[in-house]
Amino acid sequence: MNHEAPRPGGTGTAPVVVHRATGTRGRRVTIRTVTAGLARSDADLVEFLRRAGLPEAWDLLDDPQWVEWQGGRPHEYGAG
């Protein structure tokens, strides 16, 4: 897939941020600084991205130009 990464407003960060896991066993997801929801799995994350207009979101999860994983390992959603 040949996706052109959107410009995140000159901040140098990816437009999608998966934040540190919370005590509710999930990770908050923001898309261009707007909270998309709490992901408990990659499937949840892909659904948020699909709703934001990215139908081929599975291909973007490991692309650091699109998704920044903060405070933990990518694809892990547990609190501990």
Side-chain angles (χ1 to χ4, degrees):
M1 308 295 130
N2 207 8
H3 299 282
E4 183 178 325
R7 301 275 180 223
T11 62
T13 61
V16 178
V17 178
V18 182
H19 298 270
R20 178 180 312 278
T22 67
T24 58
R25 296 196 52 80
R27 294 174 83 156
R28 185 170 54 94
V29 176
T30 55
I31 301 172
R32 293 184 182 253
T33 70
V34 176
T35 298
L38 187 69
R40 292 181 175 90
S41 67
D42 281 351
D44 289 345
L45 176 56
V46 166
E47 179 61 15
F48 296 147
L49 298 180
R50 185 194 65 76
R51 290 179 187 177
L54 299 166
E56 298 170 5
W58 282 107
D59 298 330
L60 304 177
L61 297 185
D62 293 313
D63 184 340
Q65 289 184 341
W66 281 91
V67 180
E68 177 184 346
W69 296 85
Q70 293 183 344
R73 296 177 66 171
H75 312 286
E76 289 184 3
Y77 295 86

Coordinates of all heavy atoms in Angstrom, one line a residue:
M1 N 0.8 -1.2 0.0 CA 0.0 0.0 0.0 C 0.9 1.2 0.0 O 1.9 1.3 0.7 CB -0.9 0.0 1.2 CG -1.7 -1.2 1.5 SD -2.9 -1.5 0.3 CE -2.6 -3.2 -0.1
N2 N 0.5 2.2 -0.7 CA 1.3 3.4 -0.8 C 0.5 4.6 -0.1 O -0.3 5.3 -0.8 CB 1.6 3.7 -2.3 CG 2.8 4.5 -2.4 OD1 3.6 4.7 -1.4 ND2 3.1 4.9 -3.6
H3 N 0.6 4.7 1.2 CA -0.1 5.8 1.9 C 0.8 7.0 2.0 O 2.0 6.9 2.3 CB -0.5 5.3 3.3 CG -1.3 4.1 3.3 ND1 -2.7 4.2 3.0 CD2 -1.1 2.8 3.5 CE1 -3.2 3.0 3.1 NE2 -2.3 2.1 3.4
E4 N 0.2 8.1 1.9 CA 1.0 9.4 2.1 C 0.6 9.8 3.5 O -0.6 10.1 3.8 CB 0.6 10.4 1.1 CG 1.4 11.7 1.3 CD 1.1 12.7 0.2 OE1 0.8 12.3 -0.9 OE2 1.1 13.9 0.6
A5 N 1.6 9.9 4.4 CA 1.3 10.3 5.8 C 0.8 11.7 5.8 O 1.4 12.6 5.2 CB 2.5 10.1 6.6
P6 N -0.3 12.0 6.6 CA -0.7 13.4 6.7 C 0.3 14.2 7.5 O 1.0 13.6 8.4 CB -2.0 13.3 7.4 CG -2.0 11.9 8.1 CD -1.1 11.1 7.3
R7 N 0.3 15.4 7.3 CA 1.2 16.3 8.1 C 0.6 16.6 9.4 O -0.5 17.1 9.5 CB 1.4 17.6 7.3 CG 2.0 17.5 6.0 CD 3.5 17.4 6.1 NE 4.0 17.2 4.7 CZ 5.0 16.4 4.4 NH1 5.5 15.6 5.3 NH2 5.5 16.3 3.2
P8 N 1.3 16.3 10.5 CA 0.7 16.4 11.8 C 0.8 17.8 12.4 O 1.0 18.0 13.6 CB 1.4 15.4 12.7 CG 2.7 15.3 12.0 CD 2.5 15.5 10.5
G9 N 0.8 18.8 11.6 CA 0.9 20.2 12.1 C 2.3 20.7 12.4 O 2.5 21.6 13.2
G10 N 3.3 20.0 11.8 CA 4.7 20.4 12.0 C 5.3 20.0 13.4 O 6.3 20.4 13.7
T11 N 4.6 19.1 14.1 CA 5.1 18.7 15.4 C 6.2 17.6 15.3 O 6.9 17.4 16.3 CB 4.0 18.2 16.3 OG1 3.4 17.0 15.7 CG2 3.0 19.3 16.5
G12 N 6.3 17.0 14.1 CA 7.2 15.9 14.0 C 6.8 14.6 14.6 O 7.6 13.7 14.7
T13 N 5.5 14.5 15.0 CA 5.0 13.2 15.5 C 4.0 12.6 14.6 O 3.5 13.3 13.7 CB 4.4 13.5 16.9 OG1 3.3 14.4 16.7 CG2 5.3 14.0 17.9
A14 N 3.7 11.3 14.8 CA 2.7 10.6 14.0 C 1.3 11.2 14.3 O 1.1 11.6 15.4 CB 2.8 9.1 14.3
P15 N 0.4 11.1 13.4 CA -0.9 11.6 13.6 C -1.7 10.7 14.5 O -2.7 11.2 15.1 CB -1.5 11.7 12.2 CG -0.7 10.7 11.4 CD 0.7 10.7 12.0
V16 N -1.3 9.5 14.7 CA -2.0 8.6 15.6 C -1.1 8.2 16.8 O 0.0 7.8 16.6 CB -2.4 7.3 14.9 CG1 -3.1 6.3 15.8 CG2 -3.3 7.6 13.6
V17 N -1.6 8.4 18.0 CA -0.8 8.1 19.2 C -1.6 7.1 20.0 O -2.8 7.3 20.3 CB -0.6 9.3 20.0 CG1 0.2 9.0 21.3 CG2 0.2 10.4 19.2
V18 N -0.9 6.0 20.3 CA -1.5 5.0 21.2 C -0.7 5.2 22.6 O 0.5 5.0 22.7 CB -1.2 3.5 20.7 CG1 -1.9 2.5 21.6 CG2 -1.8 3.4 19.3
H19 N -1.5 5.7 23.5 CA -0.9 6.1 24.8 C -0.6 4.9 25.7 O -1.1 3.8 25.5 CB -1.8 7.1 25.5 CG -2.0 8.3 24.7 ND1 -1.2 9.4 24.8 CD2 -2.9 8.6 23.7 CE1 -1.6 10.4 23.9 NE2 -2.6 9.9 23.3
R20 N 0.1 5.2 26.8 CA 0.4 4.2 27.9 C -0.9 3.4 28.3 O -1.9 4.0 28.4 CB 1.0 4.9 29.0 CG 1.4 4.1 30.2 CD 2.0 4.9 31.3 NE 3.1 5.8 30.9 CZ 4.4 5.4 30.6 NH1 4.7 4.2 30.9 NH2 5.3 6.3 30.2
A21 N -0.7 2.2 28.6 CA -1.8 1.4 29.1 C -2.4 1.9 30.4 O -1.6 2.5 31.2 CB -1.4 -0.1 29.3
T22 N -3.7 1.8 30.6 CA -4.3 2.3 31.8 C -4.7 1.2 32.7 O -4.7 0.0 32.3 CB -5.6 3.1 31.4 OG1 -6.5 2.2 30.9 CG2 -5.3 4.2 30.4
G23 N -5.2 1.5 33.9 CA -5.7 0.5 34.8 C -6.9 -0.3 34.3 O -7.3 -1.3 34.8
T24 N -7.6 0.3 33.3 CA -8.8 -0.4 32.8 C -8.4 -1.4 31.7 O -9.3 -1.8 30.9 CB -9.7 0.7 32.2 OG1 -9.1 1.4 31.2 CG2 -10.3 1.6 33.3
R25 N -7.2 -1.7 31.6 CA -6.7 -2.7 30.6 C -7.0 -2.3 29.1 O -7.7 -3.0 28.4 CB -7.3 -4.1 30.9 CG -6.8 -4.6 32.2 CD -7.0 -6.1 32.3 NE -6.5 -6.9 31.2 CZ -5.2 -7.3 31.1 NH1 -4.3 -6.9 31.9 NH2 -4.8 -8.1 30.1
G26 N -6.5 -1.1 28.8 CA -6.6 -0.6 27.5 C -5.7 0.6 27.3 O -5.0 1.0 28.2
R27 N -5.6 1.1 26.1 CA -4.8 2.2 25.8 C -5.6 3.3 25.1 O -6.3 3.0 24.1 CB -3.6 1.8 24.9 CG -2.7 0.8 25.6 CD -1.6 0.3 24.7 NE -0.5 1.2 24.6 CZ 0.7 0.9 24.3 NH1 1.0 -0.4 24.0 NH2 1.7 1.8 24.2
R28 N -5.5 4.5 25.6 CA -6.2 5.6 24.9 C -5.6 5.9 23.6 O -4.3 5.8 23.4 CB -6.1 6.9 25.8 CG -6.9 8.0 25.3 CD -6.9 9.2 26.3 NE -5.6 9.6 26.8 CZ -4.9 10.6 26.2 NH1 -5.4 11.3 25.2 NH2 -3.7 10.9 26.7
V29 N -6.4 6.2 22.6 CA -5.9 6.4 21.2 C -6.3 7.8 20.8 O -7.5 8.2 21.0 CB -6.5 5.4 20.2 CG1 -6.1 5.7 18.8 CG2 -6.1 4.0 20.6
T30 N -5.4 8.6 20.3 CA -5.7 9.9 19.8 C -5.3 10.0 18.3 O -4.3 9.4 17.9 CB -5.0 11.1 20.6 OG1 -3.6 10.9 20.6 CG2 -5.5 11.2 22.0
I31 N -6.2 10.6 17.6 CA -5.9 10.8 16.1 C -5.9 12.3 15.9 O -7.0 13.0 16.1 CB -7.0 10.1 15.3 CG1 -7.0 8.6 15.6 CG2 -6.7 10.4 13.8 CD1 -8.1 7.8 15.0
R32 N -4.8 12.8 15.5 CA -4.6 14.3 15.4 C -5.1 15.0 16.6 O -5.8 16.0 16.5 CB -5.3 14.8 14.1 CG -4.7 14.3 12.9 CD -5.4 14.9 11.7 NE -4.8 14.4 10.5 CZ -4.0 15.1 9.6 NH1 -3.7 16.3 9.9 NH2 -3.6 14.6 8.5
T33 N -4.7 14.6 17.8 CA -4.9 15.1 19.1 C -6.3 15.0 19.6 O -6.7 15.4 20.7 CB -4.5 16.6 19.2 OG1 -5.3 17.4 18.5 CG2 -3.0 16.8 18.8
V34 N -7.2 14.3 18.8 CA -8.6 14.1 19.2 C -8.7 12.7 19.8 O -8.3 11.7 19.1 CB -9.6 14.3 18.1 CG1 -11.0 14.0 18.5 CG2 -9.5 15.8 17.6
T35 N -9.3 12.5 21.0 CA -9.4 11.2 21.5 C -10.4 10.3 20.7 O -11.5 10.8 20.5 CB -9.9 11.2 23.0 OG1 -8.9 11.9 23.7 CG2 -10.1 9.8 23.6
A36 N -9.9 9.2 20.2 CA -10.8 8.3 19.4 C -11.4 7.2 20.3 O -12.5 6.7 19.9 CB -9.9 7.6 18.3
G37 N -10.8 6.9 21.4 CA -11.4 5.9 22.3 C -10.3 5.1 23.0 O -9.1 5.5 23.0
L38 N -10.8 4.1 23.7 CA -9.9 3.2 24.5 C -9.8 1.9 23.8 O -10.8 1.1 23.6 CB -10.4 3.0 25.9 CG -9.5 2.2 26.9 CD1 -8.3 3.1 27.2 CD2 -10.3 1.9 28.1
A39 N -8.6 1.6 23.3 CA -8.3 0.3 22.5 C -7.9 -0.8 23.5 O -7.0 -0.5 24.4 CB -7.3 0.5 21.5
R40 N -8.5 -1.9 23.4 CA -8.1 -3.1 24.2 C -7.5 -4.2 23.3 O -7.1 -5.2 23.8 CB -9.4 -3.6 24.9 CG -9.9 -2.7 26.0 CD -11.1 -3.2 26.7 NE -11.5 -2.4 27.8 CZ -12.3 -1.3 27.6 NH1 -12.9 -1.1 26.5 NH2 -12.6 -0.6 28.7
S41 N -7.3 -3.9 22.0 CA -6.7 -4.8 21.1 C -6.4 -4.1 19.8 O -6.9 -3.0 19.6 CB -7.7 -6.0 20.8 OG -8.8 -5.5 20.0
D42 N -5.6 -4.7 18.9 CA -5.3 -4.2 17.6 C -6.6 -4.0 16.8 O -6.7 -3.0 16.1 CB -4.4 -5.0 16.9 CG -2.9 -4.9 17.3 OD1 -2.6 -4.0 18.1 OD2 -2.1 -5.7 16.8
A43 N -7.6 -4.9 17.0 CA -8.8 -4.8 16.3 C -9.6 -3.5 16.7 O -10.1 -2.8 15.8 CB -9.7 -6.0 16.5
D44 N -9.5 -3.1 17.9 CA -10.2 -1.9 18.4 C -9.4 -0.7 17.7 O -10.1 0.2 17.2 CB -10.1 -1.7 19.9 CG -11.0 -2.6 20.7 OD1 -11.9 -3.2 20.1 OD2 -10.8 -2.7 21.9
L45 N -8.1 -0.7 17.7 CA -7.3 0.4 17.1 C -7.6 0.5 15.6 O -7.9 1.6 15.1 CB -5.8 0.1 17.4 CG -4.9 1.1 16.7 CD1 -5.1 2.5 17.2 CD2 -3.4 0.7 17.1
V46 N -7.7 -0.6 14.9 CA -8.0 -0.6 13.5 C -9.4 0.0 13.3 O -9.6 0.8 12.3 CB -7.8 -2.0 12.9 CG1 -8.4 -2.1 11.5 CG2 -6.4 -2.4 12.8
E47 N -10.3 -0.4 14.1 CA -11.7 0.2 14.0 C -11.7 1.7 14.1 O -12.3 2.4 13.4 CB -12.6 -0.5 14.9 CG -14.1 0.1 14.9 CD -14.8 -0.1 13.5 OE1 -14.3 -0.9 12.7 OE2 -15.8 0.6 13.3
F48 N -10.9 2.2 15.1 CA -10.8 3.7 15.3 C -10.3 4.3 14.0 O -10.7 5.4 13.6 CB -10.0 4.1 16.5 CG -10.5 3.6 17.8 CD1 -9.7 3.3 18.8 CD2 -11.9 3.6 18.1 CE1 -10.1 2.9 20.1 CE2 -12.4 3.1 19.3 CZ -11.5 2.8 20.3
L49 N -9.2 3.7 13.5 CA -8.6 4.3 12.3 C -9.5 4.2 11.1 O -9.6 5.1 10.2 CB -7.3 3.5 12.0 CG -6.2 3.7 13.1 CD1 -4.9 2.9 12.7 CD2 -5.9 5.1 13.4
R50 N -10.2 3.1 11.0 CA -11.2 2.9 9.9 C -12.3 4.0 9.9 O -12.6 4.7 8.9 CB -11.9 1.6 9.9 CG -12.8 1.3 8.7 CD -13.7 0.1 9.0 NE -14.6 0.3 10.1 CZ -15.7 1.1 10.0 NH1 -16.0 1.7 8.9 NH2 -16.6 1.2 11.0
R51 N -12.8 4.3 11.2 CA -13.8 5.4 11.3 C -13.2 6.8 11.0 O -13.9 7.7 10.6 CB -14.3 5.4 12.8 CG -15.1 4.2 13.1 CD -15.6 4.2 14.5 NE -16.3 3.0 14.9 CZ -16.7 2.7 16.1 NH1 -16.6 3.6 17.1 NH2 -17.4 1.6 16.3
A52 N -11.9 6.9 11.1 CA -11.2 8.2 10.8 C -10.9 8.3 9.3 O -10.3 9.2 8.9 CB -9.9 8.3 11.6
G53 N -11.3 7.3 8.5 CA -11.1 7.3 7.1 C -9.9 6.6 6.6 O -9.5 6.9 5.4
L54 N -9.4 5.7 7.3 CA -8.2 4.9 6.9 C -8.6 3.4 6.8 O -8.4 2.6 7.7 CB -7.1 5.0 7.9 CG -6.6 6.5 8.1 CD1 -5.7 6.6 9.3 CD2 -5.8 6.9 6.8
P55 N -9.2 3.0 5.7 CA -9.7 1.7 5.5 C -8.7 0.6 5.5 O -9.0 -0.6 5.8 CB -10.5 1.7 4.2 CG -9.9 2.8 3.4 CD -9.4 3.8 4.5
E56 N -7.5 0.9 5.2 CA -6.4 -0.1 5.2 C -5.5 0.0 6.4 O -4.3 -0.1 6.4 CB -5.6 0.0 3.9 CG -6.4 -0.2 2.7 CD -5.7 0.1 1.4 OE1 -4.6 0.5 1.4 OE2 -6.4 0.0 0.4
A57 N -6.1 0.2 7.6 CA -5.4 0.6 8.8 C -4.5 -0.5 9.3 O -3.5 -0.2 9.9 CB -6.4 0.9 9.9
W58 N -4.8 -1.8 9.0 CA -3.9 -2.9 9.5 C -2.5 -2.6 9.0 O -1.5 -3.0 9.7 CB -4.4 -4.2 9.0 CG -5.5 -4.8 9.8 CD1 -6.8 -4.9 9.4 CD2 -5.5 -5.3 11.2 NE1 -7.6 -5.4 10.4 CE2 -6.8 -5.7 11.5 CE3 -4.5 -5.4 12.1 CZ2 -7.1 -6.2 12.7 CZ3 -4.8 -6.0 13.4 CH2 -6.1 -6.4 13.7
D59 N -2.4 -2.1 7.8 CA -1.0 -1.9 7.2 C -0.3 -0.7 7.9 O 0.9 -0.6 7.6 CB -1.2 -1.6 5.7 CG -1.8 -2.7 4.9 OD1 -1.6 -3.9 5.3 OD2 -2.5 -2.4 3.9
L60 N -1.0 0.1 8.7 CA -0.3 1.3 9.2 C 0.2 1.1 10.7 O 0.9 1.9 11.2 CB -1.3 2.4 9.2 CG -1.9 2.8 7.9 CD1 -2.9 3.9 8.0 CD2 -0.8 3.2 6.9
L61 N -0.3 0.0 11.4 CA 0.0 -0.1 12.8 C 1.5 -0.1 13.1 O 1.9 0.4 14.2 CB -0.6 -1.4 13.3 CG -2.1 -1.5 13.3 CD1 -2.6 -2.8 13.9 CD2 -2.8 -0.3 13.9
D62 N 2.3 -0.6 12.3 CA 3.8 -0.7 12.6 C 4.6 0.3 11.8 O 5.8 0.3 11.7 CB 4.3 -2.1 12.3 CG 3.7 -3.1 13.2 OD1 3.7 -2.9 14.5 OD2 3.3 -4.2 12.8
D63 N 3.9 1.3 11.2 CA 4.5 2.4 10.5 C 4.7 3.6 11.4 O 3.7 4.3 11.7 CB 3.7 2.8 9.3 CG 4.4 3.8 8.4 OD1 5.3 4.5 8.9 OD2 4.0 3.9 7.2
P64 N 5.9 4.0 11.9 CA 6.1 5.1 12.8 C 5.7 6.4 12.3 O 5.5 7.4 13.0 CB 7.5 5.0 13.2 CG 8.2 4.2 12.1 CD 7.1 3.3 11.6
Q65 N 5.6 6.5 11.0 CA 5.1 7.8 10.4 C 3.6 8.0 10.6 O 3.1 9.1 10.6 CB 5.3 7.9 8.9 CG 6.8 8.0 8.5 CD 7.0 8.2 7.0 OE1 6.1 7.8 6.2 NE2 8.1 8.7 6.7
W66 N 2.9 6.9 10.9 CA 1.5 7.0 11.2 C 1.1 6.8 12.6 O 0.2 7.4 13.1 CB 0.7 5.9 10.3 CG 0.6 6.3 8.9 CD1 1.4 6.0 7.9 CD2 -0.5 7.0 8.4 NE1 0.9 6.6 6.7 CE2 -0.3 7.2 7.0 CE3 -1.7 7.6 8.9 CZ2 -1.1 7.9 6.1 CZ3 -2.6 8.2 8.0 CH2 -2.3 8.4 6.7
V67 N 1.7 5.8 13.3 CA 1.3 5.4 14.6 C 2.5 5.5 15.6 O 3.6 4.9 15.3 CB 0.7 4.0 14.7 CG1 0.3 3.6 16.1 CG2 -0.5 3.9 13.7
E68 N 2.3 6.2 16.7 CA 3.4 6.3 17.7 C 2.8 5.6 18.9 O 1.7 5.9 19.5 CB 3.6 7.8 18.1 CG 4.6 7.9 19.2 CD 4.8 9.4 19.7 OE1 4.3 10.3 19.0 OE2 5.3 9.6 20.8
W69 N 3.6 4.5 19.4 CA 3.2 3.7 20.5 C 4.0 4.3 21.7 O 5.2 4.3 21.7 CB 3.6 2.3 20.3 CG 2.9 1.6 19.2 CD1 3.2 1.7 17.9 CD2 1.7 0.8 19.3 NE1 2.3 0.9 17.2 CE2 1.3 0.4 18.0 CE3 0.9 0.4 20.4 CZ2 0.2 -0.4 17.8 CZ3 -0.2 -0.3 20.1 CH2 -0.5 -0.8 18.8
Q70 N 3.3 4.8 22.7 CA 3.9 5.5 23.9 C 3.8 4.6 25.1 O 2.8 3.9 25.3 CB 3.3 6.8 24.2 CG 3.5 7.9 23.1 CD 2.9 9.2 23.5 OE1 2.1 9.3 24.4 NE2 3.3 10.2 22.8
G71 N 4.8 4.6 25.9 CA 4.8 4.0 27.2 C 4.5 2.5 27.3 O 3.8 2.0 28.1
G72 N 5.1 1.8 26.4 CA 4.9 0.3 26.4 C 5.2 -0.3 25.0 O 5.4 0.5 24.0
R73 N 5.1 -1.6 25.0 CA 5.4 -2.2 23.7 C 4.2 -2.2 22.8 O 3.1 -2.2 23.2 CB 5.7 -3.7 24.0 CG 7.0 -3.8 24.8 CD 7.3 -5.3 25.2 NE 7.6 -6.0 23.9 CZ 8.0 -7.2 23.9 NH1 8.2 -7.9 25.0 NH2 8.3 -7.8 22.7
P74 N 4.5 -2.0 21.5 CA 3.4 -2.0 20.5 C 2.6 -3.3 20.6 O 3.1 -4.4 20.9 CB 4.1 -1.9 19.2 CG 5.4 -1.3 19.5 CD 5.8 -1.8 20.8
H75 N 1.3 -3.2 20.4 CA 0.3 -4.3 20.3 C 0.1 -5.0 21.7 O -0.6 -6.0 21.7 CB 0.8 -5.4 19.3 CG 1.2 -4.8 18.0 ND1 0.3 -4.3 17.1 CD2 2.5 -4.6 17.5 CE1 1.0 -3.9 16.0 NE2 2.3 -4.0 16.2
E76 N 0.5 -4.3 22.8 CA 0.2 -4.8 24.1 C -0.7 -3.8 24.8 O -0.4 -2.6 24.8 CB 1.4 -5.0 24.9 CG 2.3 -6.2 24.4 CD 3.5 -6.5 25.3 OE1 3.7 -5.8 26.4 OE2 4.3 -7.4 25.0
Y77 N -1.9 -4.3 25.3 CA -2.9 -3.4 25.8 C -3.2 -3.6 27.3 O -4.0 -2.9 27.9 CB -4.2 -3.6 25.0 CG -4.0 -3.2 23.6 CD1 -3.5 -4.1 22.6 CD2 -4.3 -2.0 23.2 CE1 -3.3 -3.8 21.3 CE2 -4.1 -1.6 21.9 CZ -3.6 -2.5 20.9 OH -3.4 -2.1 19.6
G78 N -2.5 -4.5 27.9 CA -2.7 -4.8 29.4 C -2.1 -3.7 30.2 O -1.2 -3.0 29.8
A79 N -2.6 -3.6 31.5 CA -2.1 -2.6 32.4 C -0.8 -3.0 33.0 O -0.1 -2.1 33.6 CB -3.1 -2.3 33.5
G80 N -0.4 -4.2 32.9 CA 0.8 -4.5 33.6 C 1.5 -5.6 33.0 O 2.5 -6.1 32.7

